[in-house]
Amino acid sequence: MSTNHFHVLAKDGLWVVTLDGLHVRTCGSRPEAYDQAVAKAAELGSGEIYVHDNEGDLSWHETVPREPDAH
Protein backbone atom coordinates (compact mmCIF):
# COMPACT_ATOMS: atom_id res chain seq x y z
CA MET A 1 0.00 0.00 0.00
CA SER A 2 1.36 3.46 -0.88
CA THR A 3 1.68 6.23 1.66
CA ASN A 4 -0.45 9.36 1.44
CA HIS A 5 1.78 12.45 1.64
CA PHE A 6 0.06 15.60 2.92
CA HIS A 7 1.64 19.05 3.00
CA VAL A 8 0.34 22.10 4.87
CA LEU A 9 1.71 25.19 3.12
CA ALA A 10 1.23 28.97 3.25
CA LYS A 11 -0.05 30.58 0.05
CA ASP A 12 -1.24 34.15 -0.45
CA GLY A 13 -2.08 34.66 3.24
CA LEU A 14 -4.01 31.38 3.47
CA TRP A 15 -3.02 27.80 4.28
CA VAL A 16 -3.30 25.03 1.70
CA VAL A 17 -3.52 21.27 2.27
CA THR A 18 -2.20 19.10 -0.54
CA LEU A 19 -2.25 15.33 -0.96
CA ASP A 20 0.49 13.95 -3.19
CA GLY A 21 0.73 17.36 -4.89
CA LEU A 22 -3.01 17.82 -5.47
CA HIS A 23 -5.06 20.52 -3.73
CA VAL A 24 -7.32 19.17 -0.96
CA ARG A 25 -8.46 22.28 0.91
CA THR A 26 -7.68 25.95 1.55
CA CYS A 27 -8.01 27.16 5.15
CA GLY A 28 -7.70 30.43 7.04
CA SER A 29 -5.09 29.22 9.54
CA ARG A 30 -2.32 26.67 9.87
CA PRO A 31 -4.04 24.86 12.80
CA GLU A 32 -7.23 24.52 10.75
CA ALA A 33 -5.28 23.21 7.75
CA TYR A 34 -3.38 20.77 9.98
CA ASP A 35 -6.67 19.47 11.45
CA GLN A 36 -8.04 18.98 7.92
CA ALA A 37 -4.92 17.04 6.89
CA VAL A 38 -5.17 14.80 9.97
CA ALA A 39 -8.89 14.17 9.34
CA LYS A 40 -8.30 13.29 5.67
CA ALA A 41 -5.39 11.00 6.56
CA ALA A 42 -7.58 9.23 9.13
CA GLU A 43 -10.36 8.92 6.55
CA LEU A 44 -7.93 7.31 4.10
CA GLY A 45 -6.48 5.05 6.82
CA SER A 46 -3.03 6.63 7.10
CA GLY A 47 -0.80 9.45 5.99
CA GLU A 48 2.44 11.35 6.41
CA ILE A 49 1.79 15.00 7.25
CA TYR A 50 4.46 17.63 6.60
CA VAL A 51 3.68 21.03 8.14
CA HIS A 52 5.60 24.03 6.80
CA ASP A 53 6.08 27.57 8.10
CA ASN A 54 5.25 30.84 6.28
CA GLU A 55 8.55 30.68 4.39
CA GLY A 56 8.00 27.10 3.22
CA ASP A 57 10.51 25.47 5.56
CA LEU A 58 9.44 22.23 7.23
CA SER A 59 8.27 22.83 10.82
CA TRP A 60 7.37 19.27 11.73
CA HIS A 61 6.36 15.88 10.34
CA GLU A 62 3.81 13.47 11.73
CA THR A 63 2.46 10.03 10.88
CA VAL A 64 -1.27 9.26 11.10
CA PRO A 65 -2.25 7.06 12.78
CA ARG A 66 0.31 8.10 15.35
CA GLU A 67 3.02 5.55 15.95
CA PRO A 68 3.48 4.43 19.56
CA ASP A 69 6.56 5.84 21.26
CA ALA A 70 9.59 3.65 20.62
CA HIS A 71 11.04 4.46 24.06
Side-chain angles (χ1 to χ4, degrees):
M1 176 165 61
S2 66
T3 301
N4 300 306
H5 292 97
F6 293 88
H7 289 266
V8 174
L9 302 156
K11 182 174 177 165
D12 299 328
L14 297 172
W15 289 88
V16 176
V17 179
T18 65
L19 168 58
D20 296 329
L22 301 174
H23 179 265
V24 173
R25 179 153 303 176
T26 300
C27 302
S29 69
R30 185 165 78 168
E32 178 187 2
Y34 168 76
D35 289 344
Q36 292 295 320
V38 170
K40 188 66 175 176
E43 178 184 318
L44 295 174
S46 68
E48 298 289 325
I49 300 173
Y50 300 87
V51 182
H52 301 266
D53 65 15
N54 287 325
E55 288 76 39
D57 295 324
L58 183 64
S59 293
W60 79 87
H61 165 255
E62 185 173 348
T63 300
V64 174
R66 290 175 179 86
E67 297 173 350
D69 287 340
H71 308 286

